[in-house]
Amino acid sequence: GPEDRAHAVDAQGRVDPGTSQLLGLQELTGGRLDRALALLAEAVAAVPDNALGWRQLGVALAQAREYEAAQAAVEKGLALDPTSMEGWYNLGVVVWKRGDPAAALAHLEHAWKLDPGNERVQFMLQSVASSQRRTGAQGASEQRAPGDGAQ
């Protein structure tokens, strides 16, 4: 029954998506990726129109190197909140890790337009552009994205 579940549930035994999301973010920050993925997936399953929850799930999936699933999650978040600079930034990072620097630059430029002067976006734009020049897109997917935080 619900008392056996290691999930965030309310008094009626229903998933409390806000608590799941918060705990998932704490687990992600603490490096407990499997637990973070379970909690964040639980949160978006309970409230599928939570743009922030989808972005956070996408970040966790990217940290697990599940880039295709990460891209799908971030894109769901952006469909719900297309003005999210963090969403476009996260999408840029994920598609870069998937080996598509041209798409990454386009998404990062969109993030830049939403928040001109953002230092993380500027740094990623420079990183992707320089890796593209250095490698011709070879090996860019294994680069570590600075500031890969769950936003």
Side-chain angles (χ1 to χ4, degrees):
E3 65 280 351
D4 301 329
R5 294 174 58 200
H7 300 288
V9 294
D10 66 13
Q12 288 75 42
R14 293 179 305 234
V15 168
D16 176 13
T19 303
S20 294
Q21 188 174 339
L22 181 61
L23 290 173
L25 191 55
Q26 288 176 336
E27 297 291 336
L28 184 61
T29 302
R32 293 172 295 277
L33 203 48
D34 289 345
R35 184 87 177 114
L37 287 167
L39 285 160
L40 293 169
E42 179 178 274
V44 295
V47 183
D49 63 351
N50 179 348
L52 177 60
W54 283 110
R55 287 198 312 269
Q56 291 174 339
L57 178 59
V59 168
L61 287 162
Q63 287 187 13
R65 297 178 182 256
E66 299 204 20
Y67 300 125
E68 188 174 344
Q71 182 175 345
V74 172
E75 286 173 344
K76 284 180 185 176
L78 274 172
L80 294 163
D81 182 7
T83 63
S84 167
M85 181 283 293
E86 293 291 345
W88 290 104
Y89 172 84
N90 291 339
L91 185 57
V93 171
V94 169
V95 299
W96 183 46
K97 289 177 180 245
R98 289 193 71 190
D100 189 349
L105 285 172
H107 298 317
L108 291 166
E109 286 167 1
H110 196 102
W112 180 260
K113 286 178 187 158
L114 291 168
D115 187 7
N118 183 290
E119 291 180 5
R120 279 191 316 138
V121 176
Q122 182 180 24
F123 188 85
M124 277 307 300
L125 276 166
Q126 292 168 344
S127 297
V128 173
S130 66
S131 75
Q132 198 173 13
R133 285 191 301 271
R134 267 196 327 272
T135 65
Q138 296 291 318
S141 65
E142 289 305 311
Q143 304 263 348
R144 170 86 177 118
D148 234 359
Q151 302 288 322

